[in-house]
Amino acid sequence: MLLPPTPAAIRRAAAALRRGQPVAFPTETVYGLGASALDPEAVRRVFAAKGRPDDNPLIVHVTGLPMLRGLVRGLPPAARKLAERFWPGPLTLVLPKTKAVPEAVTAGLPTVAVRVPDHPVALALIEAAAVPVAAPSANRSGRPSPTRAAHVAVDFPGLLVLDGGAARHGLESTVVSLGDPPRVLRLGAIPVEELRAVLPGLVVATRTRARAESPGMRHRHYAPARPLVLFRRSRAAALREALAADPKALLLCADADAPLFPGRRPVRLGGTPAEIAHGLFDALRTERRGSVLLAYALPRRGLLRAVMDRLERAATRVV
Ligand code: TXA
Ligand code: MG
């Protein structure tokens, strides 16, 4: 059930959260499937609804630093610097947790991932529920993250969804753990370059390390309803052959590259890196008729680095 986010609808969603019922809400990144972070039963319902592996911890959403008190064991200086610069916003910090955070939220880890969403509806909902809200992206496990309320309704018919329109970023938050050195565990809506301007020592975790520290990175993600083949930059000729061999193949394409494929009517991702990041999950959920999806590598800089991470994880095959 999609509801416009009126004050009455937000009160209704907050009451559902307090009763232990999951509800979906918009954030600036993607839609979240929320439950009270202090209610292990409600959190288990979120895992069950998503079909999420139970070793994959959730992000806890709060309205600001005061609500964090009691959930984390202090803020190291590096965390404070990042929070001051990027909250509210698409940055998730992994910090040592207190006993107040149930193990169901953190999948038994000693740390908890937290963020302050930059979205008036998300903030109003958490405020009205007066509890921190644990929320993964509101998709069935393994599917692309939902950037619109309608995507949530496809994956969870009947669920209460506050409809805030299209998500502003369309790509999930960047996840940073504050060990020594601080590490990016998941690339996301804040590019590494911007984080390094505040924390020069920040490194990007290798895949092996990210998988070890952030269980979500182990699982298959973002799978479209049909196969996706990703072509490396050096394989332009192979991409042309694949397109020529299959007239029904749908090409995901940055606007600037569309003229390279005359007569193909590609699925347009957008022009600027922000538009491409915004268009990616929508494109992966395209309802256009066709056979396979074909995509090609984009330069790994700024936001496009996170876009490439998602394309690689969504791909059935990399050529
Ligand atoms: O933008 C976002 O982050 C969205 C919106 C709804 O806030 N949420 C989101 O949640 O993408 P989810 O559950 O789809 O992804 C959470 C990621 C996973 O990769 C998970 O493994 C990691 O955060 N994570 C959560 N808690 C962690 C922890 N304690 N240590 C390391 N990684 C953690
Ligand atoms: Mg997710």
Side-chain angles (χ1 to χ4, degrees), residues 213-288:
E213 281 189 34
S214 191
M217 304 303 277
R218 279 179 222 145
H219 300 291
R220 173 120 172 87
H221 267 318
Y222 314 114
R226 52 196 140 188
L228 167 71
V229 185
L230 175 63
F231 290 80
R232 299 196 181 287
R233 289 183 83 67
S234 57
R235 302 302 305 275
L239 170 58
R240 285 186 184 286
E241 275 164 33
L243 281 167
D246 182 355
K248 292 212 183 89
L250 289 174
L251 175 69
L252 305 190
C253 180
D255 289 359
D257 297 331
L260 300 174
F261 306 98
R264 272 320 281 219
R265 205 161 79 86
V267 178
R268 296 283 197 102
L269 291 169
T272 62
E275 282 168 10
I276 292 171
H278 189 261
L280 178 68
F281 290 142
D282 226 17
L284 291 180
R285 284 178 180 260
T286 181
E287 283 173 5
R288 269 184 46 194

Side-chain angles (χ1 to χ4, degrees), residues 152-245:
V152 182
V154 168
D155 280 14
F156 302 104
L159 178 74
L160 193 165
V161 187
L162 294 173
D163 184 352
R168 194 160 79 241
H169 293 287
L171 191 67
E172 304 93 330
S173 62
T174 307
V175 179
V176 172
S177 86
L178 288 138
D180 189 16
R183 284 194 172 79
V184 173
L185 298 180
R186 178 180 72 178
L187 297 163
I190 301 183
V192 178
E193 293 88 337
E194 277 185 40
L195 294 168
R196 280 207 185 115
V198 176
L199 269 197
L202 184 74
V203 299
V204 177
T206 60
R207 276 186 189 213
T208 322
R209 178 133 200 163
R211 285 199 189 109
E213 281 189 34
S214 191
M217 304 303 277
R218 279 179 222 145
H219 300 291
R220 173 120 172 87
H221 267 318
Y222 314 114
R226 52 196 140 188
L228 167 71
V229 185
L230 175 63
F231 290 80
R232 299 196 181 287
R233 289 183 83 67
S234 57
R235 302 302 305 275
L239 170 58
R240 285 186 184 286
E241 275 164 33
L243 281 167

